[in-house]
Amino acid sequence: MNLKYLYIVSAFVLLFGIIFYMEERPENITETSYWKKNWKTILYLPPTEDWCGGEGKRFMREKVKFSSIDTLWKIQPLYTQSFSNEGKDYFYEANYNVKNSFSELSALKTKIIEKATDQVKSSYCLDESGPKFILSDDSSFDPDSKENKILIFGKKITTDEGRVAVLVGEEVIAPFNYIIEKFRTTNLAFRERSLVPSSSGYLKSIEFRGQGNLVQVQNVAEKNQYGNYINKWSRTTQERAVISPDLGNQWDGIIKGLRADLYLDEPGAPTSSSINTKDPEANIWIEPSEGRKIRISFFGLVQGSSENYRIVQREISPGFLESPILIKEDSFLKLIESMERVKNASRYERPSQKIQ
């Protein structure tokens, strides 16, 4: 009997020891959350060229504001960038780099938190000449608000080059350096070139108006056993009719393939004086099954250094109007050709079979 109790006590002690040593004890913690904030705006300020942190010229040279816009229920935020260049203001949808930056800065983690002494600041080049972020949780964004958080970036941590010294108020922290390293580029790296997101389910409707044409199609899609959408297209203008999946899918694919081939602030772009966005030659409205509605307006032609480009401007609902961009004229012609095939398509009889 005594042996039985001895086994029970021994098991209890062993279990207690396992739990105790598996706990995250302070001396074993390697990284901690510095804050968790839902930032709405990130203002990036470039370093001076003579910044003692080195390679100041390699950082993005413009002051750029990135915004996270929440407007629709259960829809991912719309990430945008805005900046000024040579007296002109530019507005574009931002890409995954900006989305990741909001995630990284909203749940900021660090390996070090220490007082910002003059010696530490000097050794890691933590001064006003370094690259900076101004973070705000207010969508309207006042850069001078006392509620903002200012991050000044310095050199890499000597004992861990995967981390960078950052001055926040009177403290120095050490987050991963990729938070700032991705800004060693131009702001082109932060723009979404695709005009229609390909990851937003499927296109529910397409409407084209212009060049003497009006074509509207609707799509009812279902997933097959592999999780892929099977589209069922119907034309609702001219003779109302179900149209061939091949014709609908071809137009769908061309629309999703539209992209900004050239920005007006890119090297080799035509001068802005030749860009006219008053009277569009055509408009196309797209309604994704997930995400925001999009209107794409097509304007006149301009001559690039090696080929013709079509001036295009996009509006993302509700109310975000991008600056004009340029697409290759060949892309526009393919869009028109596919639209005309849909417009002139005869009625399609669907085979009576289940989705595979």
Side-chain angles (χ1 to χ4, degrees), residues 239-296:
E239 177 192 1
R240 292 174 175 261
V242 173
I243 61 173
S244 164
D246 291 342
L247 290 177
N249 290 341
Q250 184 189 55
W251 200 21
D252 175 281
I254 290 173
I255 290 171
K256 288 179 178 178
L258 293 173
R259 67 191 303 275
D261 293 309
L262 196 61
Y263 291 101
L264 299 184
D265 59 328
E266 269 192 275
T271 61
S272 58
S273 60
S274 63
I275 304 300
N276 186 332
T277 56
K278 289 184 178 179
D279 299 307
E281 293 185 13
N283 289 290
I284 190 166
W285 288 265
I286 300 112
E287 182 181 4
S289 62
E290 304 170 15
R292 296 163 170 80
K293 295 181 181 179
I294 299 169
R295 183 191 70 185
I296 303 173

Side-chain angles (χ1 to χ4, degrees), residues 89-338:
D89 295 330
Y90 295 89
F91 305 88
Y92 296 108
E93 181 184 5
N95 62 14
Y96 66 94
N97 277 319
V98 175
K99 177 182 178 181
N100 291 344
S101 291
F102 273 97
S103 297
E104 293 154 4
L105 292 169
S106 292
L108 186 61
K109 295 184 178 181
T110 180
K111 207 171 184 179
I112 299 170
I113 303 175
E114 64 179 63
K115 186 178 179 180
T117 64
D118 290 341
Q119 181 180 357
V120 170
K121 288 192 287 186
S122 176
S123 63
Y124 284 103
C125 291
L126 292 167
D127 57 47
E128 289 296 325
S129 64
K132 291 187 285 292
F133 290 148
I134 300 178
L135 309 180
S136 172
D137 58 7
D138 187 349
S139 298
S140 58
F141 185 60
D142 175 5
D144 299 318
S145 172
K146 294 181 179 179
E147 301 300 318
N148 296 342
K149 292 294 184 182
I150 300 176
L151 278 63
I152 300 177
F153 290 83
K155 291 182 177 180
K156 293 179 181 179
I157 301 295
T158 52
T159 56
D160 185 350
E161 290 202 348
R163 294 179 179 273
V164 62
V166 177
L167 180 65
V168 187
E170 297 301 318
E171 293 181 323
V172 175
I173 63 174
F176 282 110
N177 63 23
Y178 54 66
I179 291 177
I180 192 63
E181 285 296 303
K182 71 179 71 171
F183 287 83
R184 291 180 184 269
T185 181
T186 69
N187 69 30
L188 294 173
F190 298 91
R191 301 180 196 172
E192 178 55 68
R193 285 190 181 264
S194 296
L195 300 188
V196 179
S198 58
S199 59
S200 296
Y202 59 93
L203 299 188
K204 292 172 61 177
S205 65
I206 303 169
E207 178 179 327
F208 180 95
R209 289 177 181 265
Q211 299 191 334
N213 296 290
L214 169 59
V215 181
Q216 297 169 316
V217 295
Q218 293 180 342
N219 179 30
V220 178
E222 298 178 30
K223 284 187 177 180
N224 63 12
Q225 64 192 39
Y226 306 107
N228 300 318
Y229 283 108
I230 303 299
N231 298 314
K232 296 181 179 179
W233 298 98
S234 298
R235 186 182 59 220
T236 59
T237 48
Q238 292 83 43
E239 177 192 1
R240 292 174 175 261
V242 173
I243 61 173
S244 164
D246 291 342
L247 290 177
N249 290 341
Q250 184 189 55
W251 200 21
D252 175 281
I254 290 173
I255 290 171
K256 288 179 178 178
L258 293 173
R259 67 191 303 275
D261 293 309
L262 196 61
Y263 291 101
L264 299 184
D265 59 328
E266 269 192 275
T271 61
S272 58
S273 60
S274 63
I275 304 300
N276 186 332
T277 56
K278 289 184 178 179
D279 299 307
E281 293 185 13
N283 289 290
I284 190 166
W285 288 265
I286 300 112
E287 182 181 4
S289 62
E290 304 170 15
R292 296 163 170 80
K293 295 181 181 179
I294 299 169
R295 183 191 70 185
I296 303 173
S297 299
F298 302 90
F299 299 89
L301 284 171
V302 292
Q303 178 64 49
S305 57
S306 59
E307 58 186 303
N308 289 330
Y309 290 90
R310 177 73 56 172
I311 304 166
V312 172
Q313 192 165 29
R314 183 172 61 145
E315 182 175 4
I316 304 173
S317 177
F320 179 69
L321 184 65
E322 283 192 311
S323 299
I325 56 96
L326 301 174
I327 68 169
K328 294 177 181 178
E329 175 64 359
D330 183 58
S331 298
F332 180 68
L333 294 178
K334 289 179 180 178
L335 175 73
I336 297 299
E337 291 171 2
S338 184

